[in-house]
Amino acid sequence: MSGNGNAAATAEEDTPKMRVIRVGTRKSQLARIQTDSVVATLKALYPGLQFEIIAMSTTGDKILDTALSKIGEKSLFTKELEHALERNEVDLVVHSLKDLPTVLPPGFTIGAVCKRESPYDAVVFHPKFVGKTLETLPEKSVVGTSSLRRAAQLQRKFPHLEFRNIRGNLNTRLRKLDELQEFSAIILAAAGLQRMGWQNRVGQILHPEECMYAGALGVEVRAKDQDILDLVGVLHDPETLLRCIAERSFLRHLEGGCSVPVAVHTAIKDGQLYLTGGVWSLNGAETMQDTMQTTIHVPVQHEDGPEDDPQLVGITARNIPRQPQLAAENLGISLATLLLNKGAKNILDVARQLNEAH
């Protein structure tokens, strides 16, 4: 008996253990769904690896009684996750790219930009206003949003409405909409509603001419962890990557964060990357927008082999040719420079001061 037992134990010891990759995420249901989708793709690509998801609360999840633009912290939804990366408690973190500042802390990089789903914002209406649009809501109806970007653009487009701050995860915001009588509608990312399976709540899709928005999922890793960079690099979607480089480059050059209304939209068509960007005053009365384009070749991964030079606007994509990445970055800088030369800085400075004063 003892001999058989020892043999079994030895066989178990000889079986190679699967390597475990630890994936950090926020605790919200949407964050978990987003992370699960990324992990499912990685599992299919790497059947010999095991993936463990570690969920945690961030500052932005805990402070729910203050508008995001007032908290004065750039890494509201990322800091705790980055601390876990730094302490080697997780190997990679899945984020919404809009939560990641355009300048990352030293030692971190975005190792993958996943294929963009719907890049639009959606309107969810209170049950008594189902069938309405923002245009047909009654005068002085209150619309909830956590974003200065949305509020400023929509205030300009729909001056008969009042836009008010609403915080909390998607479940919380929908509950506030349905159960409190405060809001006639709320604005949410269409992709988030789709991921949650709540497409039936979408009453209106806002297109870029109404409200510019650019969301995507990104995977943040330690910048010097080449092993993990190689692991997640296969998730890069070349078209989304180039669009995000242009968008983040524009936002970085304008210093656009949560505390100022800056928005951007991109499209790739017939070998051209189009970038539209704008700045708004807090009430939407003043705005400055423009569009620029550049010729771009959307590459296939590995076409030119690995590149040595690392990050552009916090993104590392060594398996994507460098030239189109640089063209996308330069497009963002050029458009931001154009707007700044036209006086965008004055609009942003006043918006920042007013936001801090209120």
Side-chain angles (χ1 to χ4, degrees):
M1 282 290 288
S2 63
N4 288 343
N6 289 340
T10 305
E12 201 171 293
E13 285 164 16
D14 290 343
T15 305
K17 281 192 174 177
M18 284 179 98
R19 183 183 171 192
V20 178
I21 306 295
R22 299 152 305 163
V23 183
T25 177
R26 289 167 61 194
K27 278 185 175 175
S28 76
Q29 187 183 353
L30 176 59
R32 288 300 304 263
I33 288 171
Q34 291 175 168
T35 302
D36 287 347
S37 72
V38 171
V39 168
T41 306
L42 288 171
K43 279 181 175 173
L45 290 166
Y46 303 107
L49 296 178
Q50 193 175 332
F51 292 86
E52 178 190 351
I53 295 175
I54 298 168
M56 56 193 80
S57 294
T58 65
T59 305
D61 296 314
K62 293 169 188 167
I63 304 175
L64 294 174
D65 57 352
T66 308
L68 293 177
S69 59
K70 307 270 189 210
I71 299 173
E73 165 63 67
K74 279 188 176 176
S75 307
L76 279 176
F77 295 106
T78 60
K79 193 164 67 174
E80 286 78 4
L81 292 159
E82 285 173 339
H83 283 168
L85 258 182
E86 192 172 34
R87 294 190 298 261
N88 207 24
E89 293 164 1
V90 297
D91 301 299
L92 56 105
V93 176
V94 179
H95 296 286
S96 291
L97 272 185
K98 65 179 175 55
D99 293 334
L100 277 171
T102 53
V103 179
L104 296 183
F108 302 110
T109 188
I110 298 162
V113 176
C114 303
K115 187 172 176 62
R116 175 170 277 164
E117 295 178 32
S118 171
Y120 304 122
D121 280 329
V123 189
V124 179
F125 293 91
H126 186 281
K128 70 181 177 188
F129 291 119
V130 167
K132 294 274 191 189
T133 63
L134 289 181
E135 203 162 15
T136 59
L137 277 177
E139 189 86 18
K140 300 289 183 198
S141 291
V142 175
V143 178
T145 173
S146 62
S147 159
L148 282 183
R149 168 189 64 78
R150 289 169 173 147
Q153 289 181 83
L154 294 172
Q155 189 73 74
R156 182 178 180 84
K157 194 87 178 171
F158 305 102
H160 69 292
L161 302 176
E162 183 184 327
F163 292 86
R164 200 174 291 169
N165 183 60
I166 184 171
R167 291 289 319 281
N169 59 39
L170 252 64
N171 312 59
T172 304
R173 290 188 214 185
L174 282 173
R175 192 166 61 248
K176 285 179 179 177
L177 172 69
D178 291 343
E179 294 178 7
L180 307 177
Q181 297 305 309
E182 183 180 357
F183 299 101
S184 300
I186 57 175
I187 314 294
L188 299 166
L193 288 162
Q194 287 168 9
R195 289 186 191 117
M196 296 285 277
W198 293 339
Q199 297 94 320
N200 63 323
R201 291 302 307 266
V202 175
Q204 182 180 359
I205 292 288
L206 298 172
H207 292 284
E209 58 273 14
E210 296 167 305
C211 193
M212 283 192 270
Y213 170 68
L217 291 183
V219 181
E220 188 179 19
V221 302
R222 291 178 289 273
K224 292 186 176 173
D225 195 338
Q226 191 56 51
D227 194 24
I228 297 293
L229 267 169
D230 291 342
L231 183 90
V232 302
V234 295
L235 298 175
H236 272 307
D237 176 68
E239 183 170 312
T240 308
L241 168 77
L242 296 176
R243 290 171 66 180
C244 286
I245 287 174
E247 291 156 9
R248 287 174 65 82
S249 171
F250 171 78
L251 294 170
R252 175 190 278 190
H253 207 65
L254 278 179
E255 295 182 22
C258 284
S259 60
V260 287
V262 176
V264 66
H265 172 72
T266 50
I268 292 179
K269 190 178 179 185
D270 301 327
Q272 297 288 306
L273 172 59
Y274 296 87
L275 175 67
T276 300
V279 302
W280 286 260
S281 58
L282 283 189
N283 63 2
E286 276 191 278
T287 183
M288 192 173 287
Q289 296 179 55
D290 221 314
T291 300
M292 292 181 82
Q293 68 195 76
T294 190
T295 301
I296 211 145
H297 164 56
V298 179
V300 178
Q301 289 207 27
H302 305 292
E303 187 181 280
D304 290 351
E307 298 284 349
D308 295 328
D309 202 13
Q311 301 189 30
L312 287 181
V313 287
I315 298 171
T316 299
R318 288 194 177 102
N319 53 344
I320 303 289
R322 190 74 172 167
Q323 202 279 325
Q325 293 187 58
L326 289 169
E329 182 187 43
N330 289 334
L331 180 64
I333 293 169
S334 298
L335 182 59
T337 303
L338 177 69
L339 292 186
L340 288 170
N341 289 342
K342 286 181 172 183
K345 189 174 188 306
N346 293 338
I347 296 176
L348 292 176
D349 285 348
V350 171
R352 199 174 275 114
Q353 288 160 12
L354 284 173
N355 184 51
E356 287 167 0
H358 280 76

